[in-house]
Amino acid sequence: MNKHFPMSRRGFLKLGGSTAAVASALGASRLEAMEQELGGKDFSPVTGKLREAVPYTCMVCNIEDGGIAYVEDGRIVKLEGNPDHPGNRGKLCAKGNSGFLHTYDPDRIMTPLLRTGKRGEGQWKRISYDEATTLLAAKLREVIDRSIKANDPAIRNEIVFKWGRNRTGGGIQRFMGAMGSSAMVGHTNICESSKKIGLEPGWGPDIESADFENTKYALIFGGNVTETAYFHNPNAQRLVDGVVGNKAKLVYFDPRHANTAKIADEWFAPFPGTDVAIVLAMAHVIMNEKLYDDAFIRTWTNVTPEQLVAHLKSYTPEFAEAESGVPARDIRRIAREYATTKPATTFSYRGPCKHVYGSYQEAAIQMLNVITGNIEKKGGYCLPRGMGYGQPSPKPPGGKVPSILGAPPAYPLAGHQVSTHMPYQIMKGDAKCSVLMTYYDNPAYTYPSSHVWEAMYKDEKLIPFFASFSPYMSETAQYADLIIPDTTYLERNDPESMPSDLRPWLGIRQQVIKPLGNTQEWRDTCIQTVNKIDPDGTLGIKQYFNFKNGEEWVRAQFEGIPGLKEDGGYDYLKKNGVWPKYGKIDPVTGQIVDKNGDEVPAEYGLHLKELSAAAMDGASVEANGAIKKGGKTIGVRIN
Ligand code: SF4
């Protein structure tokens, strides 16, 4: 029986009758309000009262869809998609819909905990955030003082930060930059760095945006769009729109008969990790049968069609059949269809890139789009559109000395860190760690060789002080000396932007409800810790955290965004959750439409835009025409 509403059957019948009366009194407007067209409103089915609606950005996965949380009597009772959000267009996935269970998880850590027994023994004492930040500040200050005394900035790298899901809008990097430490280790190398490394050298950005809804032919390798693939909620909608509304053909390669196979016109099950053989054979057919886009290859790549024909000579469909098990005749037929149906696109997030030679597989799949000239076309394979938010000035200078943690010099091509090496580097004495901080991270459970991480955490000689910001107890947090819990994502502030639509957007995460129990968001913990490390500002650290609280910090990150201030600035985002508003989302077609019901088109052909003088400032042009800045490719010289 529900402890809040003890009820007999008789009571239930009485309530049922009165609820029906309320419903009928509210009439048709109640029903209409439940339609997406009037999204953003919700009513209690018991009292009929309008629920408070607070926009937020989801963080159950890394897609960062926009939602509206409905609050009744101070409690979040329901989450729905934000109907004004261009990315997820009013819809959340099942995980996103149930996200408020994170907030009300009965096993949440509701106050800072100080270890009292042996490490990992499970003996804790509840303390206040004031006590917790005082202790953390003292440990950090000890390293900083030692570094100043020895005049050795490398000592700062003994302050180590390891994160799993970091959606702090650069907050952790700012904090570590202020500490003067470069020892930051993310999780990307056990996640998607193989995809990023496959794309970045030739493409610039680390991902693609497949324009599924406008395509006529989608060739998907291992990206299970309708179930799990990256951007799956936004992309599943667009793929279905493309297949059903635009009558696109969908060909799907996946060793499993995954959900996406169910909506495909054709499904092939290659041997795992052999997609690249199929892709190279398709490229072989396209080049040999002169189905390629000659002008695009000559203008936008550093090879000629003749060189490609020669390079692909041995990758015949028969070779691919032997490698993958997919019949050569099908590979030939699909290559011809794909090259002659316009527009077309591939998608592969995260399929073959997670198998052996994943980066090469990813680069080969992208090549199909390049040789057929489907780049940056409506319905084609497009550059991702993100919208940057700012980092308030003054900005901390960052660590002066590189740290080998996460970026071992022995692996110069392994960008995006090599976090799997971290415990070995510390255990071998190649890196020293005096203070370890972890954030939304659980390597003792989720990493390969998790027992090695566990052994490192247990050893107080290797890790003399370990602070975790985890909101939950975990296989890793159990070894911390101090747990300073962050809130859940519905009780905190962050700026957001992800390329989940071809129209770029900025989103907000805000406190839908005040943090539960005795918890506070990480940004507040960070500000308090810095104020205790550098109370009078003489270390020069405090100036970077001159914010009253986490919300003021995020507000400062949205300042100076062109056009946002005119629309109402930060307060617009608090009210609407996402900016800009491109139009209204048609609940039937899913398209963003203007007042006349006409689609608001996305912008295509971004690669044709000339780089501005500001973008070129500090850039260099390499012999092959690639324009580089800050280690990244930002453009291509075409004349
Ligand atoms: S796909 Fe969207 S709604 Fe689902 S968990 Fe990820 S961000 Fe949330």
Side-chain angles (χ1 to χ4, degrees):
M1 185 172 283
N2 187 316
K3 70 176 178 179
H4 300 296
F5 300 101
M7 194 184 292
S8 64
R9 183 169 180 275
R10 189 180 163 82
F12 172 77
L13 290 173
K14 258 167 61 186
L15 182 61
S18 58
T19 307
V22 171
S24 102
L26 287 165
S29 64
R30 271 280 303 283
L31 297 173
E32 279 172 17
M34 294 170 77
E35 299 299 324
Q36 192 185 34
E37 198 172 341
L38 296 176
K41 283 189 184 161
D42 196 72
F43 298 85
S44 163
V46 176
T47 65
K49 270 201 295 193
L50 184 67
R51 288 168 168 160
E52 186 192 357
V54 186
Y56 70 97
T57 303
C58 186
M59 209 189 86
V60 181
C61 84
N62 204 37
I63 310 307
E64 318 304 330
D65 288 332
I68 295 185
Y70 294 101
V71 181
E72 200 176 319
D73 298 331
R75 189 178 169 88
I76 303 167
V77 292
K78 186 159 119 178
L79 303 177
E80 282 189 346
N82 183 342
D84 283 338
H85 202 288
N88 56 303
R89 308 196 296 201
K91 297 185 175 80
L92 298 177
C93 77
K95 286 185 300 178
N97 270 125
S98 58
F100 64 108
L101 297 179
H102 293 227
T103 306
Y104 299 114
D105 186 328
D107 293 333
R108 245 182 93 174
I109 302 172
M110 301 305 270
T111 191
L113 297 175
L114 180 67
R115 173 168 71 87
T116 54
K118 288 195 182 129
R119 211 176 249 187
E121 208 176 49
Q123 302 292 316
W124 304 94
K125 179 182 155 194
R126 292 186 182 88
I127 59 171
S128 66
Y129 276 87
D130 184 37
E131 290 171 296
T133 51
T134 300
L135 177 57
L136 177 60
K139 297 289 180 186
L140 293 167
R141 180 72 197 246
E142 186 279 323
V143 179
I144 292 167
D145 284 346
R146 208 156 24 86
S147 155
I148 293 170
K149 197 168 168 202
N151 193 22
D152 183 359
I155 290 175
R156 306 278 185 118
N157 287 345
E158 293 177 24
I159 298 171
V160 179
F161 211 123
K162 169 78 179 69
W163 64 75
R165 174 71 62 233
N166 175 3
R167 299 305 306 182
T168 60
I172 289 176
Q173 289 88 337
R174 186 180 185 89
F175 176 69
M176 288 296 279
M179 296 298 111
S181 172
S182 309
M184 290 175 271
V185 188
H187 75 279
T188 306
N189 82 301
I190 59 156
C191 179
E192 57 179 358
S193 59
S194 51
K195 177 178 178 77
K196 292 171 186 274
I197 291 164
L199 289 186
E200 283 166 343
W203 183 239
D206 54 3
I207 53 174
E208 77 279 27
S209 276
D211 190 10
F212 288 132
E213 64 187 310
N214 293 304
T215 200
K216 280 292 178 190
Y217 204 101
L219 198 52
I220 299 183
F221 296 93
N224 187 8
V225 174
T226 61
E227 198 171 3
T228 60
Y230 211 61
F231 293 109
H232 74 95
N233 178 25
N235 271 349
Q237 297 178 47
R238 286 156 177 79
L239 184 62
V240 170
D241 287 349
V243 168
V244 178
N246 203 34
K247 300 197 170 24
K249 177 162 183 177
L250 169 58
V251 180
Y252 186 53
F253 291 86
D254 191 326
R256 289 175 60 235
H257 188 262
N259 268 4
T260 304
K262 292 180 187 155
I263 64 162
D265 294 279
E266 295 187 52
W267 164 60
F268 296 93
F271 302 136
T274 62
D275 305 61
V276 68
I278 300 165
V279 172
L280 290 173
M282 285 186 182
H284 170 103
V285 172
I286 292 167
M287 296 309 298
N288 275 288
E289 298 188 8
K290 299 204 179 327
L291 302 175
Y292 56 84
D293 186 327
D294 187 82
F296 193 91
I297 295 173
R298 290 188 196 280
T299 307
W300 292 100
T301 77
N302 56 356
V303 290
T304 63
E306 295 73 28
Q307 286 172 314
L308 273 174
V309 169
H311 180 73
L312 293 164
K313 191 168 176 222
S314 59
Y315 301 114
T316 62
E318 286 68 28
F319 153 82
E321 178 174 342
E323 289 287 315
S324 68
V326 175
R329 66 174 180 282
D330 289 320
I331 294 173
R332 236 180 222 104
R333 175 177 55 79
I334 290 164
R336 289 170 186 151
E337 282 178 12
Y338 168 77
T340 55
T341 309
K342 304 285 181 183
T345 185
T346 68
F347 187 74
S348 50
Y349 220 166
R350 300 174 181 150
C353 71
K354 296 312 295 177
H355 283 276
V356 285
Y357 304 119
S359 299
Y360 297 110
Q361 303 222 32
E362 189 64 33
I365 293 165
Q366 189 196 37
M367 178 179 64
L368 289 179
N369 301 279
V370 173
I371 62 176
T372 53
N374 276 303
I375 301 294
E376 270 299 319
K377 298 245 169 80
K378 185 174 183 180
Y381 182 98
C382 298
L383 289 158
R385 277 86 161 139
M387 198 182 262
Y389 42 78
Q391 297 301 336
S393 290
K395 294 173 195 152
K400 287 197 178 132
V401 180
S403 163
I404 73 156
L405 277 178
Y411 299 90
L413 300 180
H416 306 283
Q417 306 166 342
V418 190
S419 61
T420 33
H421 282 236
M422 180 178 151
Y424 300 98
Q425 289 161 328
I426 291 176
M427 285 168 142
K428 281 197 302 188
D430 293 343
K432 194 171 170 197
C433 175
S434 295
V435 178
L436 172 65
M437 291 169 280
T438 60
Y439 181 86
Y440 277 82
D441 192 38
N442 190 9
Y445 182 68
T446 59
Y447 264 61
S449 301
S450 53
H451 62 286
V452 180
W453 288 85
E454 204 170 8
M456 176 188 75
Y457 294 133
K458 278 182 185 167
D459 191 331
E460 291 185 46
K461 287 203 186 80
L462 294 173
I463 311 284
F465 186 74
F466 176 12
S468 165
F469 298 108
S470 177
Y472 307 99
M473 190 54 78
S474 71
E475 289 77 0
T476 296
Q478 66 172 323
Y479 294 115
D481 302 309
L482 175 67
I483 300 177
I484 317 181
D486 191 8
T487 56
T488 64
Y489 71 98
L490 293 162
E491 308 158 279
R492 61 183 251 191
N493 298 282
D494 294 304
E496 277 297 356
S497 185
M498 283 295 259
S500 55
D501 187 59
L502 291 171
R503 301 159 196 85
W505 55 264
L506 272 179
I508 192 174
R509 193 169 290 116
Q510 61 181 321
Q511 293 187 338
V512 172
I513 54 169
K514 290 281 165 229
L516 292 183
N518 178 32
T519 61
Q520 68 179 27
E521 64 173 310
W522 179 82
R523 283 174 192 275
D524 289 342
T525 296
C526 178
I527 295 166
Q528 287 162 16
T529 304
V530 166
N531 281 329
K532 287 173 180 175
I533 293 171
D534 187 17
D536 53 11
T538 48
L539 288 177
I541 295 174
K542 192 176 172 175
Q543 59 177 321
Y544 307 121
F545 295 88
N546 204 10
F547 314 113
K548 206 167 71 196
N549 53 36
E551 180 172 5
E552 291 307 307
W553 181 349
V554 172
R555 184 186 286 272
Q557 292 196 258
F558 283 117
E559 270 163 23
I561 310 270
L564 176 58
K565 192 172 170 198
E566 293 72 15
D567 281 351
Y570 180 70
D571 293 329
Y572 177 95
L573 277 162
K574 273 185 79 81
K575 190 166 165 224
N576 297 283
V578 66
W579 177 85
K581 187 171 168 102
Y582 288 99
K584 206 172 153 113
I585 292 170
D586 184 321
V588 177
T589 64
Q591 288 180 337
I592 299 179
V593 293
D594 62 18
K595 282 185 194 137
N596 303 320
D598 296 328
E599 188 191 1
V600 179
E603 190 186 1
Y604 297 92
L606 296 196
H607 65 305
L608 299 170
K609 282 192 168 178
E610 264 184 52
L611 287 168
S612 66
M616 284 301 290
D617 189 26
S620 60
V621 184
E622 306 216 328
N624 64 4
I627 302 171
K628 298 256 186 185
K629 188 172 174 180
K632 292 205 157 195
T633 307
I634 60 165
V636 179
R637 186 188 58 198
I638 58 166
N639 53 38

